[in-house]
Amino acid sequence: PHRPLHGLRALDVGCGGGLLSESLARLGASVCAVDPSFQVAKAAREHSQHHPLTKTIDYRGGTSVEELARELTAIGDDDDSVHVATDNTNTSAHLFDLVCVLEVVEHATDPQSLLDSACRLLRPGGLLFVSTLNRTAKSYILAI
């Protein structure tokens, strides 16, 4: 099958039931998917086990993008202290070529922190995809 994302690492922020995660995996990406809900990520993980191309998705329930950014960009020193990497030389293996934040920003308590963390997880030259609803009364009533 045609797998245009083969060799790329993708992050699905607020993965929910895993629809985007599974699509990215089927297109060849190595996918990590985070969601604040343990139950939702568990259901997504269980669903992904039904297809050979989606079995390897790394679902992380109970995890925010901020927590993932701290985890993947922290480097231990000899004195056991932890600091944030200021360059990508030591952490690029843990960063992502694609970061998707779809229909999540409107639910965040701190949208700026969410987007800052998503950007910290991008490799140099990586792509960040963000979509959100318009902030209108109608969209709030119908979707949020």
Side-chain angles (χ1 to χ4, degrees), residues 65-66 104-117:
V65 68
E66 291 90 347
V104 175
V105 175
E106 63 271 18
H107 302 287
T109 55
D110 187 349
Q112 188 64 55
S113 175
L114 181 145
L115 293 173
D116 288 346
S117 295

Side-chain angles (χ1 to χ4, degrees), residues 20-100:
L20 177 62
S21 301
E22 289 193 14
S23 295
L24 292 168
R26 284 187 178 108
L27 290 171
S30 172
V31 179
C32 177
V34 296
D35 197 277
S37 169
F38 283 105
Q39 289 87 359
V40 170
K42 180 182 177 190
R45 183 180 302 106
E46 289 171 1
H47 185 268
S48 72
Q49 297 307 299
H50 299 293
H51 193 283
L53 293 176
T54 60
K55 284 184 176 185
T56 61
I57 297 171
D58 177 14
Y59 284 105
R60 298 183 185 206
T63 303
S64 69
V65 68
E66 291 90 347
E67 292 166 334
L68 186 66
R70 281 191 296 274
E71 173 190 334
L72 297 183
T73 61
I75 302 170
D77 284 333
D78 293 334
D79 62 0
D80 291 331
S81 65
V82 175
H83 68 279
V84 174
T86 55
D87 64 4
N88 290 325
T89 56
N90 295 320
T91 59
S92 63
H94 301 292
L95 298 178
F96 298 91
D97 302 292
L98 309 168
V99 175
C100 302

